[in-house]
Every structure is written in C-alpha cells, then in structure tokens.
Amino acid sequence: MLNRVNEKVWNFFASTELAVALFITISTGAAIGTVIPQSIEPEPVIKFFSKFMSISSAHKTYEIINLFDLNNVYHSWWFTFLLFMFALNLIVCSIDRLPTLLKSFKAPPQPYPLSVLDKMPIKKTVKINNDRILEKIKELFQNKGFSTHVFETQEGFQIQAKKWNKTRLAVYLTHLSILIILAGALIGTFFGFRGSMNIVEGTGLNFAISDEGKAIPLGFEIRCERFEAEYYENSAIPKAYRSYLKIIESGKPVRENIVIEVNHPFTYRGITFYQASYGFQPTEHAEFKFTYFDKTGKEHNINVHFEENFKIPGTSVTASVVDFSPALGIDEEGRLFNMSSDMINPAVLVEFENNGKKTQQWILKKIPESWQTPYGKLRFNELWGAQFTGLQVRRDPGVPLIYTGSILMCLGLFICLFLRPVNYFAVINKNQVVFYCPTSKGMVERQIDEIIKKLKGDEA
C-alpha cells in the first residue's frame, strides 16, 4: 500500500504535465509582477488602477491585490512555493529519466528492421556500380566524424552512422542551470534586501529604508557631495542626472569621487546603489551661492542662507534672499509663477537696502540679463543643499549563482540546439543504396546529398 502511494507521488512529480502547468503558472505570476507596481505602499498601486477605473473601484482592486500579495509577487509565499515545486519537479524528472538514458549509451547497437527505416522522413535511393561501396560509404561517414556499425541483414548490409549521441546529456546541464538560477533567486529573496534612500546634498545616511518601511543598517555612511540635473532646453524633461558620492567608515572617507547616474550603478561591500530619482528639499544648511562682479570686474563669491543679510562688496548696500522658486516662469499676462518643483529654472528674489531704501529683484540662474542690478552685477549660481538624490539600494547574494546558472544554461541550450544527435542509416543491396534519416532537417538532407554526390563522382 505504502509503495503504491510512493509510486503515485513519484510519478506525480516526475510528470511533464506538472512541469508545463508550473511553468505556465510561474510565468503568469511573473507577468503580473511586471504589470502591477510592486510596492507594499497602497498609493502607487491605487494610482495605477485609477487610470483604468474609478477611485473607489481602484481601492477595492487594491484590497484584492493585497490579499494575494500581487503587489509583492517575488517575495510572496505562493510564488516561492511554486519555485520550490518547480525545482522538485525538475529534480525528480531528471532522476527518473537519467538511468534509461545512461543505459542506452551502454547498449550494443542492433540493426533496425526495414519496416522501421521505411517510416523515416528521409529516404533516398541511388544506384552505384562500385565493388567497394560498403567501405566507401563507411569512409565517407567516418570522415565527417561519425562512428559506424555494419550489420548483415536479410536485405543486405545495413550501415548505422551516429554522431553527438551523448549530447543528449546536455538537457541535464540545462536542468542543472535552472536549479542554480532558482537557488540564486531564493537566496537573494531570503538573504538579500532591497530598499531606497533619499540623501540631501551635503549630508549622508548610514541606513536604507526597505520596501517594508524598515531601516536597514549599511555598516558605512554614504554621503552626497553634490547632485546635478540637466534638462532639455526650454523643457522640464530631464536629459540626465547624476550624484557625486563619498563613502565614510569610522569617520574617515574610504572612497571618494564616486559618480553614479542612470544605468551606471555603484557597488560597495556587495551593496549596489542605483540612481533612481531626485527631488527638491531645502534644509537649514542649504546655501544660496552668488558671484558679485565689482566695477573693476573682480569676482566675489558669496554664500548665504535664506533671509540672511550679506554685504555687496565695495558698497554700503546690504541684501538678503527673501524668496526662491525652483522653476520660475512667466504667464501670458506677465505674471510670475512656479512651473515645477524640479530645479528647471531656479530663481531668487533678492531684497536690497541702501540708506534705508528697499528694492527687490528676481535673479534667474539661466538668464544673465536678470543679473544686472542697480548695485552691480550679481549672478545667482545655485542653491546648494536643496536637492536630494534618490537611490535604490540592493544587496543580492544570489547574483553570482544566477550568473553561473545563466552561463551554464547558454552552454546547455547551445549543445541542445546545434549539437543534436545525428543518425544515418544506409542499406546496401547489390548496387543499390538506400539512405535513411529519422529527422528531416535541411542540413541532414544536404549531408546525404553530399555523400551521394561523392559516390557518383567516384563511380565516374
């Protein structure tokens, strides 16, 4: 009774149908994970579905998605369970079929019945007058790397030519590569992490925030020395943005001048940092940076905080920044307005005071005409320390295994696709030769044609 149950369980996991069903289910889950935003925060998911339905329906849809972890597919229990099942199915299938395959390599070759050969898709007959036709055909096959076996049957002599028979083992290499990739993915899921961090210019952080909202200590501090974004001319669309970073350990810099941008991540101690986003977040330490040009053309650098008074060099004028816009625009009626929260066209409103008389003027970073003031030329360079760089942080100890598995998979697939076993059969009866092949691929047929051409050439 127990043996019968074991056999049923074994056959269940060894079935190809189970492999196909699991593959389709995993693929469907991965597709869902690609379409639906993978975030445990409800806002991005609800915002995504609100594009296709009402906001109330989007909230209900989110509840269903959250119930089945469809917004966290790759870390969900059911997706992990499917991967385990697929791995188990692959292992059992391999163990179940491997002995039969190995046994076939050791079995002595036997002549095929003519009834079997006649059913093969390729059958070509040629008449040759050559007393050494048997030796000649063997020689032609062997010159092409085939091993040959000759049998004397009722129909005459049967030649079997085989090549790359043991490449059938490559399918196990492919199976092994899949298991290694699955192991890498599971190790990454259970022992790695994924998070994010927003670092304001001039500051640093030694932890990231995981997707679940937990703080993950990094073991070192990463500091944003500077952030810059480039925009297409007269557009709010960013062309490029990059961060200039520094790594600090035990209070000392250990890596400096690190530049990361989109598609150019940086890895330190197995943790990879990707440039993901940026934003505007002025803080107390943020500084407005100016250059003042006096009457002689000499440049004076001025760094001040918001509403902090500063002297215009060589004059009795004092000034202070009383307002700021990251993207100052002018509407059709000539009124100023803020176009965006990104630093597209930063501008400052500077208040000047001279002998008790106050005046104000907007100075735009990208418009030199605005730098001319009644008290000299004052160029606004930047608001340093007001932008933050958004970094995605990822540690995945399973990556080496995934790379190894991917290489093995490419090797296995190459062998399976381009070094498949090739078998030819030739039956010689007096001066007539019939060639057979169980496959009908073009290359196979061309090889038979070449052999026939050489046989006829020798005959001539």
Side-chain angles (χ1 to χ4, degrees):
M1 179 67 180
L2 186 59
N3 288 336
R4 191 182 301 172
V5 172
N6 289 340
E7 185 179 350
K8 284 188 176 180
V9 172
W10 181 267
N11 290 336
F12 171 75
F13 281 106
S15 68
T16 307
E17 292 80 4
L18 176 63
V20 173
L22 286 171
F23 184 77
I24 292 174
T25 309
I26 291 172
S27 300
T28 304
I32 292 172
T34 304
V35 174
I36 298 177
Q38 295 298 286
S39 172
I40 61 170
E41 298 295 331
E43 287 81 7
V45 183
I46 294 172
K47 185 178 179 183
F48 172 76
F49 281 100
S50 63
K51 298 176 183 176
F52 315 104
M53 57 187 73
S54 65
I55 191 67
S56 60
S57 299
H59 277 277
K60 291 178 182 176
T61 304
Y62 172 76
E63 291 177 3
I64 298 172
I65 287 172
N66 191 46
L67 180 64
F68 293 101
D69 275 342
L70 297 180
N71 56 339
N72 191 26
V73 169
Y74 305 111
H75 294 82
S76 62
W77 67 267
W78 59 267
F79 195 76
T80 304
F81 174 74
L82 287 173
L83 293 181
F84 271 118
M85 287 288 287
F86 189 66
L88 187 59
N89 172 250
L90 207 56
I91 293 170
V92 174
C93 279
S94 301
I95 294 174
D96 190 66
R97 290 161 176 74
L98 184 60
T100 305
L101 181 60
L102 295 177
K103 189 177 177 181
S104 70
F105 295 148
K106 297 178 181 178
Q110 298 289 333
Y112 277 49
L114 190 60
S115 58
V116 174
L117 296 177
D118 280 335
K119 292 179 181 177
M120 292 184 178
I122 291 182
K123 178 182 177 182
K124 293 202 172 189
T125 304
V126 61
K127 291 186 179 298
I128 302 292
N129 288 319
N130 190 328
D131 295 337
R132 295 182 61 256
I133 188 169
L134 177 61
E135 289 74 14
K136 187 62 185 174
I137 293 175
K138 279 179 59 181
E139 182 184 341
L140 289 172
F141 276 126
Q142 288 170 354
N143 288 342
K144 289 183 177 293
F146 287 85
S147 62
T148 57
H149 300 278
V150 179
F151 306 95
E152 188 171 0
T153 64
Q154 291 180 346
E155 295 83 17
F157 288 98
Q158 183 182 127
I159 301 175
Q160 293 182 8
K162 299 182 178 180
K163 186 163 70 172
W164 297 332
N165 260 19
K166 291 187 179 177
T167 58
R168 284 186 288 172
L169 287 170
V171 69
Y172 292 94
L173 183 62
T174 308
H175 288 182
L176 177 64
S177 69
I178 294 173
L179 291 174
I180 292 174
I181 291 173
L182 289 178
L186 291 174
I187 288 173
T189 300
F190 289 109
F191 300 103
F193 67 79
R194 191 180 66 180
S196 60
M197 55 198 306
N198 293 338
I199 311 175
V200 178
E201 277 182 314
T203 67
L205 288 175
N206 58 5
F207 64 89
I209 302 298
S210 72
D211 292 345
E212 292 78 21
K214 298 178 181 176
I216 307 169
L218 300 178
F220 54 87
E221 180 183 340
I222 183 163
R223 184 180 178 86
C224 177
E225 294 291 279
R226 179 180 168 80
F227 175 82
E228 64 181 21
E230 297 178 25
Y231 296 87
Y232 290 99
E233 191 172 357
N234 299 323
S235 171
I237 301 173
K239 183 167 63 176
Y241 48 101
R242 59 187 67 87
S243 303
Y244 298 84
L245 307 175
K246 178 195 288 185
I247 301 292
I248 298 174
E249 284 192 82
S250 303
K252 296 180 180 178
V254 292
R255 293 288 300 273
E256 296 184 88
N257 303 319
I258 303 164
V259 181
I260 68 168
E261 53 188 320
V262 177
N263 297 327
H264 291 85
F266 166 72
T267 300
Y268 183 72
R269 289 197 171 190
I271 302 174
T272 303
F273 300 87
Y274 302 86
Q275 182 68 67
S277 63
Y278 61 91
F280 179 65
Q281 184 181 325
T283 59
E284 291 182 358
H285 78 281
E287 290 183 333
F288 295 93
K289 297 192 174 186
F290 296 92
T291 300
Y292 175 71
F293 301 86
D294 62 21
K295 294 180 180 177
T296 63
K298 185 179 178 181
E299 298 183 8
H300 302 267
N301 293 323
I302 300 171
N303 297 346
V304 294
H305 296 96
F306 187 69
E307 293 186 334
E308 180 183 4
N309 290 333
F310 60 97
K311 289 278 293 180
I312 300 295
T315 71
S316 58
V317 179
T318 59
S320 64
V321 177
V322 295
D323 201 356
F324 171 77
S325 169
L328 192 66
I330 301 175
D331 63 17
E332 295 176 349
E333 297 179 359
R335 293 175 301 191
L336 299 174
F337 72 102
N338 193 24
M339 296 186 293
S340 168
S341 59
D342 293 335
M343 301 276 268
I344 300 170
N345 185 26
V348 290
L349 180 61
V350 179
E351 183 175 87
F352 299 95
E353 181 175 357
N354 187 17
N355 297 324
K357 182 181 178 183
K358 293 183 178 180
T359 57
Q360 292 184 340
Q361 179 173 333
W362 277 100
I363 300 177
L364 287 75
K365 178 183 176 182
K366 294 183 179 179
I367 302 179
E369 292 80 5
S370 67
W371 305 345
Q372 292 292 346
T373 74
Y375 312 103
K377 188 175 179 183
L378 185 64
R379 182 177 69 194
F380 171 46
N381 297 319
E382 64 174 328
L383 173 54
W384 181 85
Q387 293 191 96
F388 68 82
T389 177
L391 305 180
Q392 274 195 348
V393 187
R394 187 179 179 187
R395 180 177 180 274
D396 191 344
V399 168
L401 281 178
I402 292 175
Y403 284 153
T404 303
S406 299
I407 293 171
L408 292 178
M409 178 176 283
C410 291
L411 181 61
L413 290 176
F414 176 83
I415 295 173
C416 288
L417 293 173
F418 299 105
L419 300 178
R420 286 175 297 184
V422 181
N423 297 328
Y424 290 115
F425 303 88
V427 176
I428 304 171
N429 187 354
K430 297 181 181 177
N431 61 343
Q432 176 178 285
V433 183
V434 183
F435 290 94
Y436 301 92
C437 188
T439 61
S440 58
K441 299 295 181 184
M443 183 192 74
V444 173
E445 194 165 2
R446 282 198 300 274
Q447 284 191 332
I448 293 181
D449 291 338
E450 288 175 11
I451 290 173
I452 292 174
K453 188 176 179 181
K454 288 185 177 180
L455 287 174
K456 287 184 174 179
D458 288 350
E459 182 187 36

